[in-house]
């Protein structure tokens, strides 16, 4: 394995370490959002009014995910590949 590949793997592990440190905060936020969604659903079921159109919300989330994946494929992955090449040439 080349030095650039090892450095890239090290950067990936560092990123996961940072995300792992934020895990507790992210978990609490996700739990709060889930609880609020359950409350909204309960209110919608009792009153019959539509506070949040979940089908439209789902479509919006899918569309956002597709846009993010397109952005990652077009700009993020080539940038990471170039970074790996730069690290490999710097360490060689």
């Amino acid at each position: 394995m080349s030095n650039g590949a090892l450095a890239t793997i090290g950067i990936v592990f560092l990123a996961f370490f940072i995300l792992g440190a934020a895990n507790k905060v992210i978990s609490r936020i996700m739990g709060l959002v889930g609880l609020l969604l359950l409350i909204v659903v309960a209110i919608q079921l009792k009153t019959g009014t539509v506070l949040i159109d979940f089908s439209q919300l789902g479509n919006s989330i899918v569309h956002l995910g597709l846009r993010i994946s397109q952005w990652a494929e077009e700009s993020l992955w080539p940038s990471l590949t170039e970074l790996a090449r730069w690290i490999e040439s710097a360490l060689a």
Side-chain angles (χ1 to χ4, degrees):
M1 205 179 255
S2 68
N3 289 335
L6 289 173
T8 303
I9 291 172
I11 290 171
V12 168
F13 276 96
L14 180 63
F16 278 106
F17 172 75
I18 291 168
L19 291 175
N23 188 23
K24 187 178 281 189
V25 174
I26 293 170
S27 294
R28 288 182 180 166
I29 291 171
M30 294 289 287
L32 180 63
V33 168
L35 181 64
L36 291 175
L37 283 175
L38 287 175
I39 291 170
V40 167
V41 168
I43 291 171
Q44 286 184 173
L45 288 174
K46 283 193 174 217
T47 62
T49 60
V50 177
L51 300 174
I52 298 176
D53 185 5
F54 286 102
S55 63
Q56 184 63 31
L57 181 65
N59 290 338
S60 299
I61 291 172
V62 168
H63 181 67
L64 178 64
L66 290 173
R67 285 184 28 212
I68 290 172
S69 67
Q70 182 181 11
W71 169 80
E73 185 177 329
E74 291 174 356
S75 55
L76 182 64
W77 302 141
S79 298
L80 290 177
T81 302
E82 185 62 33
L83 175 66
R85 286 184 187 141
W86 178 79
I87 291 171
E88 185 174 10
S89 66
L91 294 176

